[in-house]
Coordinates of all heavy atoms in Angstrom, one line a residue:
M100 N 8.7 -1.5 3.5 CA 8.4 -1.1 2.2 C 7.7 0.3 2.1 O 6.8 0.5 3.0 CB 7.5 -2.1 1.5 CG 7.4 -1.9 -0.1 SD 6.1 -0.7 -0.6 CE 4.6 -1.5 -0.3
V101 N 8.2 1.2 1.3 CA 7.5 2.6 1.3 C 7.0 2.7 -0.1 O 7.6 2.5 -1.1 CB 8.6 3.7 1.6 CG1 7.9 5.0 1.4 CG2 9.1 3.5 2.9
L102 N 5.6 3.2 -0.1 CA 5.0 3.5 -1.4 C 4.4 4.9 -1.3 O 3.3 5.1 -0.7 CB 3.9 2.5 -1.7 CG 3.2 2.7 -3.0 CD1 4.1 2.4 -4.2 CD2 2.0 1.7 -3.2
P103 N 5.1 6.0 -1.9 CA 4.6 7.3 -1.7 C 3.8 7.8 -2.9 O 3.8 9.0 -3.2 CB 5.9 8.1 -1.6 CG 7.0 7.3 -2.4 CD 6.4 5.8 -2.4
S104 N 3.0 7.0 -3.5 CA 2.2 7.3 -4.7 C 1.3 8.5 -4.5 O 0.7 8.7 -3.4 CB 1.4 6.1 -5.2 OG 2.2 5.0 -5.5
R105 N 1.1 9.2 -5.5 CA 0.1 10.4 -5.5 C -1.3 9.9 -6.0 O -2.2 10.6 -5.8 CB 0.6 11.6 -6.4 CG 1.8 12.2 -5.9 CD 2.2 13.4 -6.7 NE 3.2 14.3 -6.0 CZ 4.5 14.1 -6.0 NH1 5.0 13.0 -6.8 NH2 5.3 14.8 -5.4
F106 N -1.3 8.8 -6.7 CA -2.6 8.2 -7.1 C -2.4 6.7 -7.2 O -1.5 6.3 -8.0 CB -3.0 8.8 -8.4 CG -4.3 8.2 -8.9 CD1 -5.6 8.4 -8.4 CD2 -4.2 7.3 -10.0 CE1 -6.7 7.7 -8.9 CE2 -5.3 6.7 -10.6 CZ -6.6 7.0 -10.0
E107 N -3.2 5.9 -6.7 CA -3.0 4.4 -6.8 C -4.3 3.7 -6.3 O -4.7 3.6 -5.2 CB -1.9 4.0 -5.8 CG -1.3 2.7 -6.2 CD -0.2 2.7 -7.2 OE1 0.7 3.5 -7.1 OE2 -0.3 2.0 -8.2
P108 N -5.1 3.3 -7.4 CA -6.4 2.7 -7.0 C -6.3 1.5 -6.1 O -7.1 1.3 -5.2 CB -7.0 2.3 -8.4 CG -6.4 3.3 -9.3 CD -5.0 3.5 -8.8
W109 N -5.2 0.7 -6.4 CA -4.9 -0.4 -5.5 C -3.5 -0.5 -5.1 O -3.1 -0.1 -4.0 CB -5.4 -1.8 -6.1 CG -5.2 -2.9 -5.1 CD1 -4.3 -3.9 -5.1 CD2 -6.0 -3.1 -3.9 NE1 -4.4 -4.7 -4.0 CE2 -5.4 -4.3 -3.2 CE3 -7.0 -2.5 -3.3 CZ2 -5.9 -4.7 -2.0 CZ3 -7.5 -3.0 -2.2 CH2 -7.0 -4.1 -1.5
A110 N -2.6 -1.0 -5.8 CA -1.2 -1.2 -5.6 C -0.9 -2.6 -5.0 O -0.9 -2.9 -3.8 CB -0.6 -0.2 -4.6
L111 N -0.6 -3.6 -5.9 CA -0.4 -5.0 -5.5 C 0.9 -5.1 -4.8 O 1.1 -6.1 -4.0 CB -0.3 -5.9 -6.8 CG -0.4 -7.4 -6.7 CD1 -1.7 -7.7 -6.0 CD2 -0.3 -8.0 -8.0
V112 N 1.8 -4.2 -4.8 CA 3.0 -4.3 -4.0 C 2.8 -4.3 -2.6 O 3.6 -4.8 -1.8 CB 4.0 -3.2 -4.3 CG1 4.6 -3.3 -5.8 CG2 3.4 -1.8 -4.2
V113 N 1.7 -3.6 -2.1 CA 1.4 -3.7 -0.7 C 1.0 -5.1 -0.3 O 1.5 -5.6 0.8 CB 0.1 -2.7 -0.5 CG1 -0.3 -2.8 1.0 CG2 0.5 -1.3 -0.8
N114 N 0.2 -5.9 -1.1 CA -0.1 -7.2 -0.8 C 1.3 -8.0 -0.7 O 1.4 -8.8 0.3 CB -0.9 -7.9 -1.9 CG -2.3 -7.2 -2.1 OD1 -2.3 -6.1 -2.4 ND2 -3.3 -8.0 -1.9
E115 N 2.1 -7.8 -1.6 CA 3.4 -8.5 -1.6 C 4.2 -8.2 -0.4 O 4.9 -9.2 0.2 CB 4.1 -8.2 -2.9 CG 3.4 -8.6 -4.2 CD 4.0 -8.1 -5.4 OE1 4.9 -7.2 -5.4 OE2 3.6 -8.5 -6.6
A116 N 4.4 -6.9 -0.1 CA 5.2 -6.6 1.1 C 4.6 -7.1 2.4 O 5.3 -7.6 3.2 CB 5.3 -5.0 1.1
V117 N 3.3 -7.0 2.5 CA 2.7 -7.6 3.8 C 2.9 -9.1 3.8 O 3.1 -9.6 4.9 CB 1.1 -7.2 3.8 CG1 0.5 -7.9 5.0 CG2 1.0 -5.6 3.9
A118 N 2.7 -9.8 2.7 CA 2.9 -11.2 2.7 C 4.4 -11.5 3.1 O 4.6 -12.6 3.6 CB 2.6 -11.9 1.4
S119 N 5.3 -10.7 2.7 CA 6.7 -10.8 3.0 C 7.1 -10.6 4.4 O 8.3 -10.7 4.8 CB 7.5 -10.1 2.0 OG 7.3 -10.4 0.7
G120 N 6.2 -10.1 5.2 CA 6.4 -9.7 6.6 C 7.2 -8.4 6.8 O 7.9 -8.2 7.8
L121 N 7.0 -7.4 5.9 CA 7.6 -6.1 6.0 C 6.6 -5.2 6.7 O 5.4 -5.4 6.6 CB 7.9 -5.5 4.6 CG 9.3 -5.9 4.0 CD1 9.4 -7.3 3.8 CD2 9.5 -5.1 2.7
A122 N 7.2 -4.2 7.4 CA 6.4 -3.0 7.8 C 6.1 -2.2 6.6 O 7.0 -2.1 5.7 CB 7.1 -2.2 8.9
V123 N 4.9 -1.6 6.4 CA 4.5 -0.9 5.2 C 4.2 0.6 5.6 O 3.4 0.9 6.5 CB 3.4 -1.5 4.5 CG1 3.0 -0.7 3.3 CG2 3.7 -3.0 4.2
I124 N 4.8 1.5 4.8 CA 4.5 2.9 4.9 C 4.0 3.3 3.5 O 4.6 3.2 2.6 CB 5.7 3.8 5.3 CG1 6.3 3.4 6.6 CG2 5.4 5.3 5.3 CD1 7.6 4.1 7.0
S125 N 2.7 3.8 3.6 CA 2.1 4.1 2.3 C 1.4 5.5 2.4 O 1.0 5.9 3.4 CB 1.1 3.1 2.0 OG 0.2 3.5 0.9
S126 N 1.3 6.2 1.2 CA 0.5 7.4 1.2 C -1.0 7.1 1.3 O -1.4 5.9 1.1 CB 0.7 8.1 -0.1 OG 0.2 7.4 -1.2
D127 N -1.7 8.1 1.7 CA -3.1 7.9 2.1 C -4.1 7.9 0.9 O -5.3 8.0 1.0 CB -3.6 9.0 3.1 CG -3.5 10.3 2.6 OD1 -3.0 10.5 1.4 OD2 -3.8 11.2 3.4
V128 N -3.5 7.8 -0.4 CA -4.4 7.7 -1.6 C -4.2 6.3 -2.2 O -4.8 6.1 -3.3 CB -4.0 8.8 -2.6 CG1 -4.2 10.1 -2.0 CG2 -2.6 8.6 -3.1
V129 N -3.5 5.4 -1.6 CA -3.3 4.0 -2.1 C -4.5 3.2 -1.6 O -4.7 3.0 -0.4 CB -2.0 3.5 -1.7 CG1 -1.8 2.0 -2.1 CG2 -0.8 4.3 -2.2
G130 N -5.2 2.6 -2.5 CA -6.4 1.8 -2.2 C -6.0 0.6 -1.2 O -6.8 0.4 -0.2
A131 N -5.0 -0.1 -1.5 CA -4.6 -1.2 -0.7 C -4.2 -0.9 0.7 O -4.4 -1.7 1.6 CB -3.4 -2.0 -1.4
A132 N -3.8 0.3 0.9 CA -3.3 0.7 2.3 C -4.5 0.8 3.2 O -4.3 0.6 4.4 CB -2.7 2.2 2.2
F133 N -5.7 1.1 2.7 CA -6.9 1.2 3.6 C -7.3 -0.3 4.0 O -8.0 -0.4 5.0 CB -8.0 1.9 2.9 CG -7.7 3.4 2.9 CD1 -7.1 3.9 1.8 CD2 -8.1 4.2 3.9 CE1 -6.8 5.4 1.7 CE2 -7.8 5.6 3.8 CZ -7.2 6.1 2.7
E134 N -6.8 -1.2 3.3 CA -7.3 -2.6 3.7 C -6.1 -3.3 4.4 O -6.4 -4.1 5.3 CB -7.5 -3.4 2.4 CG -8.5 -2.7 1.4 CD -9.9 -3.0 1.7 OE1 -10.2 -3.9 2.5 OE2 -10.8 -2.4 1.0
L135 N -4.9 -3.0 4.1 CA -3.8 -3.8 4.5 C -2.7 -3.1 5.3 O -1.7 -3.7 5.7 CB -3.1 -4.5 3.3 CG -3.9 -5.5 2.5 CD1 -3.2 -5.9 1.2 CD2 -4.1 -6.7 3.4
V136 N -2.9 -1.8 5.6 CA -2.0 -1.1 6.5 C -2.8 -0.5 7.6 O -3.6 0.4 7.4 CB -1.2 0.0 5.7 CG1 -0.3 0.8 6.7 CG2 -0.5 -0.5 4.5
R137 N -2.6 -1.1 8.8 CA -3.2 -0.5 10.0 C -2.2 0.3 10.8 O -1.2 -0.2 11.2 CB -3.7 -1.7 10.9 CG -4.8 -2.6 10.3 CD -5.3 -3.7 11.3 NE -6.1 -4.6 10.6 CZ -6.3 -5.8 11.2 NH1 -5.9 -6.1 12.4 NH2 -7.1 -6.7 10.6

């Protein structure tokens, strides 16, 4: 799952993608990425 947002305080799709067992690529302004993308 790729989320290239320019602004995103959280982004629930990151929770959903991680729960689905996907690898996640996110921009560094997505709040959820700092919690759920290592």
Side-chain angles (χ1 to χ4, degrees):
M100 192 279 284
V101 175
L102 184 62
S104 297
R105 291 185 169 86
F106 174 74
E107 200 84 56
W109 184 254
L111 195 58
V112 291
V113 176
N114 298 64
E115 298 168 351
V117 171
S119 301
L121 273 63
V123 178
I124 300 175
S125 169
S126 68
D127 59 2
V128 298
V129 174
F133 287 89
E134 311 272 354
L135 292 170
V136 180
R137 294 183 194 166

